[in-house]
Amino acid sequence: MSWPEMTALHAAATLAEIIFLGPLTSEIQAWIGSSALTARVCNGNIFGGGFQRLSGWSNE
């Protein structure tokens, strides 16, 4: 990205890791593959916040 904000960010910090908590779609994978990204990419479709409905549980 050629935004001034991104240039300032890259001058101040180095991105070391990206964690995807949701599905890593083919579009995201293609973007990562074509980018100059050097950070470690972690994924696993891990629940990250909010609430989760228990599978097989009913309130009836």
Side-chain angles (χ1 to χ4, degrees):
M1 294 181 191
S2 59
W3 301 341
E5 299 89 343
M6 293 305 288
T7 302
L9 175 62
H10 288 286
T14 301
L15 181 63
E17 180 176 71
I18 298 172
I19 302 172
F20 287 93
L21 298 177
L24 193 55
T25 65
S26 58
E27 292 85 3
I28 294 172
Q29 290 173 340
W31 176 80
I32 291 170
S34 68
S35 75
L37 184 67
T38 59
R40 185 172 78 154
V41 177
C42 303
N43 71 306
N45 201 14
I46 302 165
F47 179 68
F51 72 94
Q52 223 175 0
R53 186 173 304 238
L54 298 175
S55 152
W57 185 80
S58 175
N59 194 8
E60 297 174 11

